[in-house]
Amino acid sequence: MLPSLGQPTMLPLTTLFGTLSYRVLMCSGIAVAALFFVFYGMTQLRDGPFIRPHPVFWRAVQAISVIYLMFLIYIFFQNLNDARKLVAFIDPALGVPLQERAYADDCRLKWSSIYQQLDVFVAAHTFGWFGKALILRDEWLCWIVSVMFEVMEYSLQHQLPNFAECWWDHWILDVLICNWLGIWAGMKTCKYLAMKTYNWRSIRDIPGMSGKMRRTFGQFTPHSWVSFDWAAAKSFKGYCVVLIVTIFVTVPLRSYSLVPGKRNECLLSQISPMDPAGTFH
């Protein structure tokens, strides 16, 4: 008999899958239920703006996001102690107080001090701004947000001790190196994937009358353009594809071009589609 939910226990339980603890059973049930919802979302959710590598992949991402959002909503209605117990129940390694790390102990501009500041947050800055650049798609706005976040770190040092950083950590390591690399890579990715870029500035801030006119008329153009490169001369495969397309487009025209005038057109109009001659055509 399973124990009541009000008094969870870690004693082993004999189930269809063998002798398992109550925590393992609960986590396994939640995981399988979540997996079922993900598979349901892969077949029933709507397609989003992304189609590569496959729309099904992005439906799965959307389903996982919905599950995560529902979990956060549930956590929101719990007190701090119960929320910590819940995450510790799912993973015993969680719910343990983290040790705060100081980033402003040695602000001398030398290699040993810089090396001590290199941690996982360096990669987090870079990849984080790579993702933000893909979302905002405006280098001008990305730089504003990047600088403003460092200003917020200055203003919130009294509440969050790990926001206390050296000046070169704020402006050189974070803004000019990590954030710049992420923004640059994100904008290059947008250009490579032919993604539509955004201009978040007001039309009054666009310099010149020609720029304002282009922005105005651009509002009535298609949302996105699909570019395609046949690459006919870049590879033998591309040449063969273009040749096959050319043949299949031009061969049906032979019936109208071999005989001048309307003689052949009248002849074809009298051939039944079920006739072998019409089928061949």
Side-chain angles (χ1 to χ4, degrees):
M1 180 177 179
L2 292 176
S4 62
L5 294 178
Q7 297 178 351
T9 178
M10 298 302 174
L11 296 178
L13 301 174
T14 302
T15 64
L16 180 64
F17 303 99
T19 303
L20 300 174
S21 66
Y22 180 74
R23 186 183 66 82
V24 173
L25 289 175
M26 288 289 293
C27 295
S28 300
I30 295 174
V32 173
L35 185 63
F36 171 80
F37 181 80
V38 171
F39 278 104
Y40 174 82
M42 292 169 63
T43 58
Q44 300 299 325
L45 292 179
R46 294 184 178 181
D47 292 337
F50 303 109
I51 60 176
R52 294 290 185 270
H54 196 277
V56 173
F57 171 78
W58 295 108
R59 292 183 210 152
V61 172
Q62 184 180 1
I64 295 173
S65 302
V66 172
I67 295 174
Y68 179 65
L69 178 60
M70 291 190 296
F71 177 74
L72 293 181
I73 294 175
Y74 177 79
I75 289 290
F76 180 75
F77 287 91
Q78 312 304 314
N79 57 47
L80 182 60
N81 188 36
D82 291 342
R84 288 175 175 173
K85 289 182 179 179
L86 177 61
V87 295
F89 178 79
I90 297 175
D91 187 355
L94 302 177
V96 180
L98 300 177
Q99 183 179 1
E100 292 287 348
R101 177 181 175 180
Y103 290 92
D105 290 342
D106 187 5
C107 290
R108 292 174 296 176
L109 190 57
K110 60 179 184 178
W111 172 246
S112 59
S113 301
I114 297 175
Y115 183 77
Q116 292 178 357
Q117 307 297 338
L118 300 180
D119 54 9
V120 67
F121 291 103
V122 173
H125 270 276
T126 304
F127 288 104
W129 275 104
F130 173 77
K132 292 175 184 177
L134 295 180
I135 297 174
L136 299 177
R137 304 183 195 177
D138 187 353
E139 190 172 1
W140 180 81
L141 184 60
C142 287
W143 277 110
I144 290 180
V145 177
S146 174
V147 173
M148 287 303 299
F149 182 79
E150 299 301 324
V151 175
M152 289 181 59
E153 284 190 339
Y154 272 114
S155 62
L156 296 176
Q157 290 179 1
H158 62 285
Q159 293 184 1
L160 301 173
N162 56 352
F163 272 8
E165 300 175 352
C166 300
W167 66 268
W168 48 263
D169 194 355
H170 279 292
W171 303 111
I172 298 179
L173 186 60
D174 289 350
V175 176
L176 297 181
I177 297 180
C178 297
N179 295 358
W180 169 82
L181 182 60
I183 295 172
W184 176 83
M187 298 306 297
K188 287 295 183 181
T189 303
C190 291
K191 183 178 180 180
Y192 176 77
L193 298 178
M195 300 170 64
K196 179 180 177 63
T197 57
Y198 300 139
N199 187 353
W200 296 91
R201 289 173 290 177
S202 172
I203 191 173
R204 293 174 296 182
D205 299 330
I206 300 177
M209 182 57 65
S210 60
K212 291 182 173 61
M213 294 298 295
R214 284 196 301 268
R215 176 64 183 88
T216 302
F217 287 107
Q219 188 68 28
F220 301 96
T221 58
H223 181 269
S224 61
W225 300 90
V226 178
S227 59
F228 186 81
D229 185 7
W230 286 93
K234 292 183 179 180
S235 64
F236 179 73
K237 179 180 178 181
Y239 173 78
C240 292
V241 171
V242 175
L243 183 62
I244 292 173
V245 172
T246 304
I247 292 174
F248 274 84
V249 170
T250 57
V251 165
L253 297 177
R254 75 195 188 284
S255 302
Y256 298 93
S257 59
L258 292 178
V259 181
K262 294 185 176 294
R263 291 173 53 194
N264 197 53
E265 181 180 351
C266 296
L267 175 63
L268 292 175
S269 64
Q270 297 176 2
I271 298 178
S272 172
M274 302 303 296
D275 190 272
T279 303
F280 176 76
H281 170 262

